[in-house]
Amino acid sequence: MKTINDFNFEDKKALIRVDFNVPLNDEFQVTDDTRIQSAKSTIIKILEDGGSCVLMSHLGRPKGVDAKFSLKHIVDKVSEVIGVQVKFVEDCVGEAAEAAVAELKSGEILLLENLRFHGEEKSGDAAFAEQLSKLGDVYVNDAFGTAHRAHASTAVIAQFFPENKCFGHLLAKEIESIDKVLNNSEKPVLAVLGGAKVSSKITVIENILDKVDHLIIGGGMTFTFVKAQGGKIGDSICEDDKMDLALEILEKAKAKNVQIHIPVDVIAANAFDNNAETQISDVTQIPDNWQGLDAGPKSLENFEAVVNQCKTILWNGPLGVFEMESFAQGTIALGNFIDNATKNGAFSLVGGGDSVAAVKQFGFADKVSYVSTGGGAMLESLEGKVLPGIDAILN
Ligand code: AMP
């Protein structure tokens, strides 16, 4: 796996695909600079070598040129985070961009305008990718968040740098972390899959059964499994058309010697409301008109014991409706168990879908071994797919 550490960038222009798709408020100020921070190490290494950086990214989902989605809004923030005044050019291809790159000196950074102002970016147009490729000597992909997309700047462009293409530090770390969980893991391996629906996680579950020793299934998915086995789930969320699939998963897990752990009790509520009345209920005996919205105390005790046994832990999805304080306790407790396990030497990876939001909200981001920066890209990796952005660098 070639990374920027395999190159000396002295007098070279690095064309770096970053993921600066950051949230902006109404005044076009960056409200969360995590993604910019994440690219810092790659940029600094190249500048310290004596090279220069040409940064390209998308922002939002513009349909054509749209000032609202201009990357000029983030120039000051990027300059502040990196500690170098960043230059900006109002297009990502063509004469203006080529002229700005030609003027770029060692130690300087140029940010190109939003790639998605050109429809060719998303369609993966080869001619557009070739135009982009004129803007650097070495192509660096450091955008995990878009690595599952076969876009011009994330995958197609790599063919124009047959020898001079590599991963940035962030993308390399993402790849290593996934590998540490799925392929080179220290046993026992645990995956915790929570969240709302079986249907959105089914491919992950199927792929992961070959990789783990324990699987905790929590959150809204629980009830499809419980009902499929004859339990009474009241008004809890359930995908009736996925019950056969749930039973199949249980069978497969047995055959593969994977221990599945499902909540035995839940916090049931008489409405989907933070202020609803609640009671602790056996997961198979939830009264009519009540719904399970969080894992109960016995379940958490069981989960703690499982987490403590494991040396590798993957966490995807909350154990309850964590957005409401009354139903966030299970997710917080699980975060604490994983924090302890990590302190005791386990490798813990959080990622995929919205998991990162929960982890950040409760302050666990610094307590686990690694928090992935890519929701969709992480999920697809866990599904066992080869991501186009990664494949394009490797092959
Ligand atoms: P996902 O994006 O699949 O990880 O799902 C996250 C969502 O699942 C969050 O918005 C949670 O509120 C929701 N969720 C977790 N547990 C439950 C539950 N017991 N009932 C309904 N929704 C849930």
Side-chain angles (χ1 to χ4, degrees):
M1 184 169 91
K2 254 194 198 169
T3 77
I4 51 171
N5 293 347
D6 299 311
F7 287 81
N8 183 339
F9 287 88
E10 192 175 357
D11 295 326
K12 294 240 162 28
K13 288 172 177 155
L15 176 62
I16 315 175
R17 179 48 160 110
V18 288
D19 179 7
F20 284 174
N21 183 28
V22 291
L24 300 178
N25 63 16
D26 292 343
E27 271 104 53
F28 299 108
Q29 289 159 329
V30 177
T31 53
D32 181 347
D33 65 7
T34 310
R35 286 180 166 162
I36 301 171
Q37 297 280 3
S38 302
K40 185 171 175 174
S41 142
T42 291
I43 295 169
I44 295 290
K45 139 81 183 163
I46 290 164
L47 297 184
E48 283 183 353
D49 273 3
S52 55
C53 297
V54 180
L55 307 178
M56 53 179 176
S57 178
H58 74 287
L59 176 67
R61 296 180 171 179
K63 295 194 171 56
V65 178
D66 181 345
K68 267 202 317 250
F69 297 101
S70 173
L71 279 167
K72 71 172 185 250
H73 301 306
I74 74 164
V75 168
D76 288 347
K77 182 50 97 180
V78 180
S79 305
E80 178 195 318
V81 170
I82 310 298
V84 173
Q85 182 57 48
V86 171
K87 300 181 166 186
F88 178 73
V89 57
E90 280 164 4
D91 202 350
C92 61
V93 287
E95 272 175 32
E98 285 172 29
V101 169
E103 279 173 21
L104 201 66
K105 299 187 193 67
S106 292
E108 293 186 331
I109 303 173
L110 173 71
L111 177 64
L112 305 177
E113 181 55 289
N114 197 337
L115 291 158
R116 290 196 188 165
F117 283 181
H118 294 263
E120 295 94 331
E121 160 65 0
K122 279 180 86 172
S123 64
D125 185 86
F128 177 71
E130 189 173 13
Q131 275 190 290
L132 286 172
S133 75
K134 294 182 188 164
L135 306 178
D137 305 310
V138 181
Y139 169 65
V140 179
N141 192 352
D142 210 19
F144 184 61
T146 48
H148 58 315
R149 308 278 184 223
H151 293 169
S153 70
T154 61
V156 182
I157 190 172
Q159 65 188 283
F160 301 105
F161 298 89
E163 300 302 324
N164 294 325
K165 55 180 181 176
C166 62
F167 297 110
H169 285 156
L170 172 69
L171 189 39
K173 185 96 199 256
E174 294 276 358
I175 295 170
E176 275 163 24
S177 301
I178 294 165
D179 189 59
K180 224 167 160 177
V181 167
L182 293 186
N183 304 315
N184 287 310
S185 42
E186 197 181 335
K187 286 179 162 288
V189 183
L190 161 68
V192 184
L193 297 180
K197 289 182 172 172
V198 178
S199 50
S200 63
K201 302 280 163 85
I202 184 66
T203 334
V204 175
I205 299 178
E206 282 176 341
N207 182 47
I208 231 161
L209 283 180
D210 287 322
K211 319 274 184 186
V212 303
D213 306 292
H214 295 272
L215 175 59
I216 291 178
I217 291 177
M221 280 198 289
T222 307
F223 306 102
T224 304
F225 283 86
V226 172
K227 187 172 173 188
Q229 296 176 90
K232 271 186 65 210
I233 61 165
D235 275 355
S236 306
I237 185 174
C238 182
E239 289 168 283
D240 285 346
D241 61 331
K242 295 290 178 293
M243 290 200 298
D244 287 344
L245 206 56
L247 293 177
E248 255 174 57
I249 290 170
L250 294 175
E251 281 297 314
K252 273 190 197 159
K254 213 182 210 172
K256 292 177 194 281
N257 247 328
V258 177
Q259 288 193 50
I260 295 212
H261 311 270
I262 293 177
V264 290
D265 59 352
V266 290
I267 308 297
N270 64 352
F272 190 80
D273 188 320
N274 192 37
N275 299 315
E277 239 179 85
T278 61
Q279 59 172 301
I280 296 167
S281 169
D282 184 298
V283 75
T284 63
Q285 305 291 331
I286 301 174
D288 292 342
N289 303 320
W290 290 68
Q291 52 188 305
L293 295 182
D294 198 6
K298 271 201 210 109
S299 310
L300 293 176
E301 222 179 283
N302 296 345
F303 294 169
E304 182 173 20
V306 178
V307 169
N308 282 339
Q309 284 172 46
C310 291
K311 288 276 166 237
T312 303
I313 302 164
L314 166 73
W315 181 14
N316 171 282
L319 286 189
V321 183
F322 73 98
E323 297 92 337
M324 297 186 210
E325 199 189 344
S326 308
F327 312 109
Q329 300 315 308
T331 301
I332 294 174
L334 177 70
N336 284 324
F337 304 155
I338 296 179
D339 176 16
N340 278 333
T342 309
K343 283 190 183 120
N344 289 327
F347 178 80
S348 53
L349 169 64
V350 179
D354 290 333
S355 318
V356 176
V359 165
K360 274 193 182 163
Q361 185 178 329
F362 303 124
F364 293 120
D366 299 332
K367 296 177 173 169
V368 296
S369 309
Y370 191 67
V371 180
S372 174
T373 56
M378 185 65 179
L379 269 190
E380 290 197 16
S381 303
L382 298 177
E383 287 172 352
K385 290 185 187 151
V386 179
L387 309 188
I390 294 175
D391 195 42
I393 299 278
L394 294 178
N395 298 306

